[in-house]
Amino acid sequence: MSPGTVVGISVYPVRGCAGTALPRADVGPAGLAGDRASAVVDADGRVLRGKDAPALAGVAATGHPDADAAAVAAALGRPVRIEPLASRPEGGAAVHLVSRQALDRAAAGIVPAGCGAEDPRANLLLDLPDDDERTWVGRRLRVGSAVLEVTRLPRHCLGVYAEVSQAGTVAVGDSVGSP
């Protein structure tokens, strides 16, 4: 594994809403602190996802339930509430990593058949000048002071999903490499 660098960190406080860029984040067993901690629930009690309500992606969630509910309700034109997620969304992973090189390949139209490259919603954006994160499945890597176990490729095909083996802190500029 060639060394890389963290060039961006994002959390998505409300599932389906826009992300918030951070200079550093604590990483625990469930992933980055504050990431996907809440969900939008409509008047019928149904949890809304981005594919159910594409306007969610334009709402910059703050992590404050009342303010986020008001912003989402305005964007959707209907009442909603923000509720904490009791567990990670099905199919989700603790941390989603995508390289700048993967985004460049996708922008050039180089993605596997059946995959999309729109808005990968990654937690960590990496610069990997001499590597490809898709080869990391099954490997452990150190990112800042955290150690991650790369478990699989996401369904949308950009980047990789990882679980947290050792909690720590990650910051923009931290190196990415073998533990």
Side-chain angles (χ1 to χ4, degrees):
M1 175 184 302
S2 299
T5 306
V6 176
V7 294
I9 301 171
S10 294
V11 295
Y12 301 84
V14 177
R15 184 177 173 202
C17 290
T20 300
L22 302 172
R24 71 176 38 254
D26 291 327
V27 182
L32 278 67
D35 189 48
R36 294 170 179 89
S38 301
V40 177
V41 179
D42 69 10
D44 296 329
R46 186 174 57 120
V47 174
L48 298 179
R49 299 175 299 170
K51 67 181 178 181
D52 301 323
L56 288 175
V59 178
T62 64
H64 301 288
D66 293 339
D68 291 342
V72 171
L76 298 181
R78 59 185 167 162
V80 298
R81 63 186 185 275
I82 304 297
E83 292 186 358
L85 283 171
S87 63
R88 185 181 309 152
E90 188 173 323
V95 183
H96 181 192
L97 305 95
V98 173
S99 70
R100 188 182 288 173
Q101 290 73 17
L103 295 175
D104 290 347
R105 285 190 301 271
I110 305 168
V111 291
C115 295
E118 311 79 36
D119 188 23
R121 305 182 63 73
N123 296 118
L124 302 178
L125 178 62
L126 311 175
D127 185 33
L128 305 173
D130 298 319
D131 212 341
D132 182 339
E133 71 272 20
R134 295 174 295 184
T135 66
W136 294 353
V137 175
R139 293 185 184 175
R140 291 168 53 98
L141 63 137
R142 179 170 296 282
V143 183
S145 63
V147 176
L148 306 177
E149 177 81 28
V150 179
T151 57
R152 64 190 177 356
L153 300 173
R155 284 179 294 201
H156 54 66
C157 301
L158 286 188
V160 292
Y161 281 155
E163 298 300 329
V164 179
S165 297
Q166 176 184 314
T169 301
V170 62
V172 171
D174 280 350
S175 64
V176 178
S178 298

